[in-house]
Amino acid sequence: VQLQASGGGLVQPGGSLRLSCAASGSILRVNVMGWYRQAPGKQRELVARITSGFSTNYADSVKGRFTISRDNTKNTVYLQMNSLKPEDTAVYYCNADVAPLSTRLYIDVWGQGTQVTVSS
């Protein structure tokens, strides 16, 4: 089981980016999916997460600007980021609780990270 993230890049302040992260492998089900970020010299922090029932929560710093969503048929989570600020610059990691077919027990899986840089 693995997570593959994509969609990062360089954007000007006020711009938008959309991140995607797909879970692949022999998967029974996926529970909570989320996005975290880590800026240089800082700890990794939660950005947003969404349950399989589409309940969401967000870090205060991104409320009203970022939207998390998911497609359960594709085991994919998205992060729409609008009104980006320089302080949003970080490596963004996707995370999911995944139950593989082989064990049927949830495991915590991380994607490889994608760089988001907000700069003029």
Side-chain angles (χ1 to χ4, degrees):
V1 175
Q2 60 180 355
L3 297 178
Q4 182 68 44
S6 61
L10 172 65
V11 63
Q12 292 186 341
S16 298
L17 280 175
R18 189 190 194 213
L19 305 182
S20 300
C21 178
S24 62
S26 298
I27 297 170
L28 176 63
R29 65 176 62 90
V30 182
N31 192 7
V32 179
M33 303 186 81
W35 290 95
Y36 291 72
R37 67 186 180 186
Q38 187 166 20
K42 295 188 176 181
Q43 289 189 330
R44 189 173 298 188
E45 63 177 0
L46 172 69
V47 177
R49 59 187 175 189
I50 184 168
T51 69
S52 57
F54 305 104
S55 294
T56 60
N57 65 290
Y58 296 89
D60 288 342
S61 59
V62 307
K63 283 180 181 176
R65 300 188 297 122
F66 291 10
T67 302
I68 191 169
S69 60
R70 65 189 285 170
D71 184 337
N72 287 340
T73 65
K74 298 179 180 179
N75 290 328
T76 299
V77 63
Y78 306 96
L79 186 68
Q80 178 66 44
M81 304 184 293
N82 298 328
S83 302
L84 282 160
K85 304 175 180 180
E87 50 264 44
D88 294 317
T89 295
V91 178
Y92 284 69
Y93 298 90
C94 58
N95 172 261
D97 294 332
V98 181
L101 281 170
S102 58
T103 65
R104 299 174 177 260
L105 297 174
Y106 281 107
I107 57 174
D108 188 38
V109 183
W110 289 88
Q112 83 282 11
T114 184
Q115 177 70 46
V116 172
T117 302
V118 185
S119 175
S120 55

